[in-house]
């Protein structure tokens, strides 16, 4: 038997209250409990976190890198979504 | 898109300092170079635990023991970050480790030298981790995203490794004449192997040019080695230790220290498996895998049992 039977887990850490969990890396473990414990030992040896999420890598769905241009095109073409698109006279304040 | 077109776009990204991520298109040779380099790096972290691990139970006091234990734990973590980075290139973790055990994959030749005295532990922290840091700081800007991110995390953790070694030698150097002699002896034995850690000279290095073009490496072996020598000379003076090289001297014109030619014969002998500890190190890794098998099996069985209980 090999560790290959252990799934890969992605590790997300909240470094402090008020911040998002952020992806920090991955590890292999037989289940979620051990994945959390291993993540603590490997990724938070210097108080890097106050909360850990682990997600089996197989459960992550991602956008296709080859389709990225087409996929994100709608947001690239709508410059009027940005405040700098609009002209406002110099004297106007608090806007 | 033709192959040539893909390669051109790839190089364009590299030139523009855009990182390459796991699912991006990359030339096969780029992938292979990374697999070789990152796995070799991962193996070095893991094998590197062996010479120091031997001294944990023999550390002279509780403080030094806790420090050494923490350092060796860090190295295990470094190994894991790097094995994970190799896996993002589509290789299997198990295969990567088996390649080390079969002798197919290499690791840093430095770990094939024994740690004979307590002073060696100080010298390893100061010189070996010091040389590793020189290399790793440069790799924080490597072109492959997962490798660069692993390096940033590793570098943050490394600096205590070098400092604790230096501090430990400082203590010995200000101790009895015997302690000072022990420190000098460690320096004598570790200086040249530490310089060899940067790999073959640029003239003899087979992979260097392409790796620089792909920005896997940012500096050549000789450039990094020179930076290390330049940084270390003064540190040795402060310790009151002599660097075992009669030709070491400041070259005003170059703005660098000159030093003797490395004994490349010895370097290649150790790389080829004939160093003082090659067999012992590999045997220890194979034994750890075999004798740790039951732990992994038990963990799997326990996970299954827990899952059954939860669904019941
Ligand atoms: Fe390390
Ligand atoms: Fe280290």
């Amino acid at each position: 038997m090999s560790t290959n039977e252990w799934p890969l887990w992605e590790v997300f850490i909240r470094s402090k209250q008020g911040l998002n969990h952020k992806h920090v890396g991955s590890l292999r473990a037989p289940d979620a409990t051990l994945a959390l414990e291993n993540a603590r030992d490997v990724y938070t040896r210097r108080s890097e976190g106050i909360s850990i999420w682990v997600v089996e890598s197989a459960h992550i769905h991602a956008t296709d890198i080859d389709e990225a241009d087409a996929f994100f095109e709608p947001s690239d073409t709508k410059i009027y979504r940005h405040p700098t698109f609009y002209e406002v006279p110099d004297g106007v304040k608090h806007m | 898109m033709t192959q040539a077109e893909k390669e051109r776009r790839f190089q364009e990204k590299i030139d523009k300092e855009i990182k390459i991520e796991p699912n991006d298109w990359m030339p096969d040779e780029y992938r292979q170079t990374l697999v070789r380099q990152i796995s070799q790096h991962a193996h070095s972290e893991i094998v590197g635990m062996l010479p120091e691990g031997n001294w944990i139970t023999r550390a002279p006091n509780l403080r030094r023991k806790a420090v050494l234990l923490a350092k060796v734990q860090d190295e295990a973590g470094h190994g894991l970050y790097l094995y994970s980075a190799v896996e993002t290139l589509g290789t299997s973790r198990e295969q990567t480790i088996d390649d080390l055990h079969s002798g197919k994959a290499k690791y840093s030749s430095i770990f094939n030298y024994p740690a004979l005295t307590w002073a060696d532990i100080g010298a390893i922290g100061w010189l070996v981790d010091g040389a590793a840091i020189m290399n790793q700081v440069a790799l924080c800007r490597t072109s492959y995203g997962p490798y660069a991110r692993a390096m940033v995390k590793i570098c943050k953790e490394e600096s205590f490794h070098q400092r604790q070694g230096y501090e430990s030698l400082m203590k010995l150097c200000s101790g009895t004449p015997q302690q000072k002699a022990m420190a000098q002896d460690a320096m004598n034995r570790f200086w040249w192997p530490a310089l060899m850690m940067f790999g073959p000279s640029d003239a003899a290095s087979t992979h260097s040019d392409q790796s620089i073009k792909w920005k896997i490496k940012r500096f050549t072996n000789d450039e990094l080695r020179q930076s290390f020598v330049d940084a270390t000379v003064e540190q040795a003076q402060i310790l009151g230790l002599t660097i075992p090289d009669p030709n070491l001297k400041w070259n005003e014109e170059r703005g660098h220290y000159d030093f003797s030619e490395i004994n490349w014969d010895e370097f290649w002998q150790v790389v080829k498996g004939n160093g003082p500890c090659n067999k012992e190190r590999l045997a220890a890794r194979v034994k750890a895998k075999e004798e740790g098998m039951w732990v992994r099996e038990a963990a799997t069985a326990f996970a299954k049992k827990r899952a059954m209980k939860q669904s019941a």
Side-chain angles (χ1 to χ4, degrees), chain B residues 10 20 26-41 85-86 88-89 142-147 211 214-217:
Chain B
F10 176 81
I20 307 301
M26 60 184 88
D28 287 344
E29 212 193 316
Y30 177 82
R31 188 184 299 274
Q32 285 153 14
T33 304
L34 282 171
V35 168
R36 190 186 55 242
Q37 183 173 329
I38 305 173
S39 63
Q40 191 169 318
H41 199 156
V86 190
T88 64
L89 291 158
T142 191
S143 57
Y144 186 57
Y147 192 23
S211 286
W214 279 334
K215 297 188 182 167
I216 293 175
K217 283 174 138 188

Side-chain angles (χ1 to χ4, degrees), chain B residues 90-236:
Chain B
T91 58
S92 108
R93 171 96 47 112
E94 182 106 48
Q95 187 60 49
T96 304
I97 290 168
D98 287 346
D99 284 348
L100 168 72
H101 295 180
S102 71
K104 189 179 156 211
K106 301 279 176 237
Y107 53 89
S108 179
S109 55
I110 189 79
F111 302 117
N112 290 314
Y113 292 86
L116 300 175
T117 72
W118 172 250
D120 288 11
I121 298 304
I124 289 173
W126 172 39
L127 298 173
V128 176
D129 287 78
I133 290 168
M134 198 53 88
N135 206 11
Q136 287 166 341
V137 167
L139 284 170
C140 288
R141 287 173 55 236
T142 191
S143 57
Y144 186 57
Y147 192 23
R149 291 191 285 275
M151 278 302 127
V152 169
K153 185 151 174 56
I154 287 175
C155 282
K156 272 187 205 154
E157 301 182 351
E158 281 292 345
S159 75
F160 115 72
H161 297 183
Q162 191 183 24
R163 288 175 72 117
Q164 64 81 33
Y166 192 79
E167 186 205 69
S168 166
L169 283 182
M170 202 75 217
K171 197 88 188 167
L172 286 176
C173 287
S174 57
T176 64
Q178 288 93 325
Q179 285 174 316
K180 176 95 189 265
M182 196 162 89
Q184 181 64 53
D185 173 60
M187 163 114 230
N188 293 349
R189 282 178 293 107
F190 276 91
W191 176 251
W192 291 107
L195 294 197
M196 291 177 200
M197 284 174 69
F198 296 96
S201 70
D202 295 349
S205 178
T206 39
H207 310 297
S208 226
D209 283 355
Q210 188 55 277
S211 286
I212 297 261
K213 195 170 160 238
W214 279 334
K215 297 188 182 167
I216 293 175
K217 283 174 138 188
R218 295 280 177 162
F219 301 96
T220 69
N221 295 351
D222 285 338
E223 284 167 348
L224 290 167
R225 188 166 14 243
Q226 182 72 61
S227 307
F228 177 71
V229 172
D230 292 346
T232 311
V233 171
E234 201 193 335
Q235 296 169 359

Side-chain angles (χ1 to χ4, degrees), chain A residues 1-3 6 9 12 14-15 29-30 33 35 38 40 42-43 48-49 53 62 65-66 70-71 76 79-81 88:
Chain A
M1 197 205 64
S2 69
T3 53
W6 289 358
W9 302 77
F12 301 81
R14 163 176 287 168
S15 57
T33 311
N38 291 352
R40 174 201 59 195
V42 177
Y43 291 106
E48 288 95 336
W53 290 349
I65 190 80
D66 295 323
F71 192 81
D76 288 341
I79 49 170
Y80 46 83
R81 282 177 174 165
V88 171

